[in-house]
Amino acid sequence: MKWRIWLLSLGITLLCVLIFGFASTQVYYRSSVDDGKRFLHACMNSFDADEYPPTTEGAKAFSDKLDGARVTFMDMQGNVLADSIAGDSAVNHLDRSEVTDAIRDGDGYAVRDSSTLGADMVYYCRSIDGMLVRLAVFTQSDWSIFASTLPTLLAFSSVMIVLCLAASFIATHFIIGPVKKLAAEAAQSETVTTRYSELAPVADALNARNRDIHRQMRELTAEKTAVEQARASKDEFISNVTHEMNTPLTSIHGYAELLDGGGMTEAQKKTAYKTILSQSERLTNLIACIINFSEIENDNLPPYDVDFSAIVRETLVVVSPEAQKRNIAIDGNIADNVIISSRHERLNELFGNLIRNAIKYNKDGGKINVTLDNRSLTVEDTGIGIAEENMNKIFSRFFTVDKSHSGKNGGFGLGLAVVKKICAKSGWEISVESEPDRGSKFTVDFAPQQR
């Protein structure tokens, strides 16, 4: 980049020198012509027709007085009467501009190459006493003036090249230095600033690039974390499934071996058959729950308007016998025509899991309050509650607050995980408030983004 700046500066400098040479040549040339015109005009004022008659001798005498200026006498038709330079007599100059101007206006000037002398000359012609007197002096052409200045221009250009090299080196230091500093700051920090207004767009571009890089890094980190969490969740899921399946499979396998070995009484055989049947049903239910959870994960069917009020009332009728067995009172505050955009089976799962958990983990003789309106669903119980250390785990798969309830009631800890998944897929928000031995309150907010 330094060489590019130097070459550009050098090219501009040499171009300026060349233009200056041409311009100064033109100025000098025009000044020379003007000086020649003034000189001829002054000389013409000193002409005396009596002293210098229109003869060759008179022309030469007047020329000698003028230090060799060419003198030509012509009649009013432009015919040459005499000339201080031999060989130009008997020539008509009526076609010369200075002659026609003198005939018309009394005097005239012209600058051109002389065909007789082969050099550029300044001509001045004046009408005097019925004849034309023309004076001429040599002048340099503009190209000859330029050629004569070439050595000076070359010397000047050499000096300018050296100065240009030094100036370019200093300039590139001051130009590139702040850019290098800006680049170094951009590599070390997310935001850079500059006191040079010319570099402000560069600083803005670097800041935008740094923000984009940091955003991409955050996204990559988040994706990596998500992948690691997914892998850990998968491993945990497999471990939990294995653990949940191990108990019924062990029971089934153990009693099957006893039955195969014989020697069991009829009562013992009945017990074995019942155990095998119940554990196989438990295993079937576990597989069904896992399949259902997976279906929710991959469910992309479109939602439709569902009367959630009707679903809640129907479910409360279904679970009331189970609640009555333990003297649990259910108080329902259900608004009419609560229409939710979802699907019937998903809302049935959502409320069914919440109300059954409220019954399962309640105390005998406890209470359950169910509230539904267009904004939210609330299920509150007076059960065993949830310890603070378990609050962030209750929506995890296969987690149960009370392990004794899992085995006794056939639960697998997937109910709240299903509820959480349904809410997440629908854009709803579920929250829980709980204290040990004082019950729990689950709230599903249907429009959290509007609050």
Side-chain angles (χ1 to χ4, degrees), residues 233-300:
S233 178
K234 178 181 177 182
D235 294 341
E236 181 184 5
F237 179 75
I238 293 173
S239 175
N240 290 331
V241 168
T242 303
H243 175 74
E244 291 292 338
M245 295 180 69
N246 185 61
T247 300
L249 286 175
T250 300
S251 298
I252 292 172
H253 183 267
Y255 278 106
E257 283 185 340
L258 291 175
L259 289 171
D260 183 61
M264 296 180 68
T265 64
E266 290 299 322
Q268 290 174 331
K269 288 181 180 181
K270 287 183 180 180
T271 301
Y273 291 143
K274 289 181 179 180
T275 302
I276 291 173
L277 181 61
S278 64
Q279 293 302 319
S280 63
E281 289 177 351
R282 176 174 173 78
L283 190 59
T284 300
N285 291 334
L286 173 60
I287 294 172
C289 289
I290 293 172
I291 292 174
N292 180 60
F293 187 84
S294 178
E295 288 178 347
I296 296 174
E297 179 75 25
N298 301 309
D299 186 3
N300 293 317

Side-chain angles (χ1 to χ4, degrees), residues 284-333:
T284 300
N285 291 334
L286 173 60
I287 294 172
C289 289
I290 293 172
I291 292 174
N292 180 60
F293 187 84
S294 178
E295 288 178 347
I296 296 174
E297 179 75 25
N298 301 309
D299 186 3
N300 293 317
L301 294 175
Y304 50 85
D305 290 343
V306 181
D307 187 350
F308 200 12
S309 301
I311 291 177
V312 171
R313 290 191 177 102
E314 290 171 2
T315 305
L316 290 179
V317 172
V318 172
V319 301
S320 60
E322 183 180 349
Q324 290 174 3
K325 289 180 182 179
R326 299 177 55 197
N327 295 321
I328 297 175
I330 300 178
D331 181 19
N333 184 14

Side-chain angles (χ1 to χ4, degrees), residues 11-260:
I12 294 174
T13 301
L14 292 179
L15 180 62
C16 291
V17 170
L18 189 61
I19 293 174
F20 173 76
F22 277 113
S24 59
T25 297
Q26 291 298 317
V27 171
Y28 181 80
Y29 173 72
R30 293 180 183 278
S31 176
S32 176
V33 170
D34 291 340
D35 289 344
K37 289 180 178 180
R38 284 192 292 271
F39 172 73
L40 293 177
H41 190 276
C43 291
M44 188 66 75
N45 290 336
S46 65
F47 175 74
D48 186 347
D50 295 332
E51 185 178 357
Y52 304 106
T55 63
T56 301
E57 291 74 12
K60 289 182 178 180
F62 192 36
S63 175
D64 291 339
K65 181 182 178 181
L66 301 180
D67 295 328
R70 182 180 180 181
V71 178
T72 305
F73 296 121
M74 293 172 282
D75 60 20
M76 295 304 293
Q77 286 73 41
N79 296 311
V80 176
L81 302 177
D83 198 309
S84 62
I85 298 176
D88 200 27
S89 60
V91 176
N92 187 281
H93 289 333
L94 189 61
D95 60 338
R96 309 297 170 84
S97 61
E98 73 277 7
V99 175
T100 57
D101 289 344
I103 293 173
R104 185 183 66 248
D105 302 324
D107 61 358
Y109 288 98
V111 180
R112 66 174 180 275
D113 178 66
S114 173
S115 60
T116 303
L117 300 178
D120 285 355
M121 302 193 75
V122 180
Y123 294 92
Y124 177 53
C125 184
R126 179 184 292 181
S127 174
I128 301 175
D129 297 333
M131 70 174 181
L132 299 174
V133 180
R134 187 181 70 176
L135 305 179
V137 292
F138 292 102
T139 184
Q140 286 182 292
S141 67
D142 49 0
W143 284 108
S144 63
I145 295 174
F146 180 74
S148 65
T149 61
L150 275 179
T152 303
L153 288 176
L154 291 176
F156 184 69
S157 298
S158 300
V159 175
M160 289 301 298
I161 289 173
V162 175
L163 293 177
C164 178
L165 180 62
S168 299
F169 179 80
I170 297 172
T172 51
H173 173 74
F174 285 102
I175 293 173
I176 298 177
V179 176
K180 288 183 176 180
K181 181 180 178 182
L182 199 63
E185 290 180 359
Q188 297 175 358
S189 60
E190 185 174 354
T191 303
V192 296
T193 57
T194 179
R195 59 189 180 93
Y196 302 100
S197 59
E198 297 82 0
L199 293 180
V202 178
D204 293 339
L206 290 174
N207 289 332
R209 186 209 62 174
N210 283 346
R211 286 193 297 269
D212 187 57
I213 291 175
H214 283 279
R215 178 184 58 78
Q216 293 178 0
M217 290 300 296
R218 288 193 297 268
E219 290 177 354
L220 290 174
T221 302
E223 290 179 3
K224 179 181 178 182
T225 302
V227 169
E228 292 175 351
Q229 290 176 348
R231 184 183 295 111
S233 178
K234 178 181 177 182
D235 294 341
E236 181 184 5
F237 179 75
I238 293 173
S239 175
N240 290 331
V241 168
T242 303
H243 175 74
E244 291 292 338
M245 295 180 69
N246 185 61
T247 300
L249 286 175
T250 300
S251 298
I252 292 172
H253 183 267
Y255 278 106
E257 283 185 340
L258 291 175
L259 289 171
D260 183 61

Side-chain angles (χ1 to χ4, degrees), residues 330-348:
I330 300 178
D331 181 19
N333 184 14
I334 314 302
D336 294 330
N337 298 319
V338 176
I339 306 301
I340 301 298
S341 179
S342 182
R343 295 217 308 280
H344 188 280
E345 66 274 17
R346 294 306 175 212
L347 291 178
N348 194 36

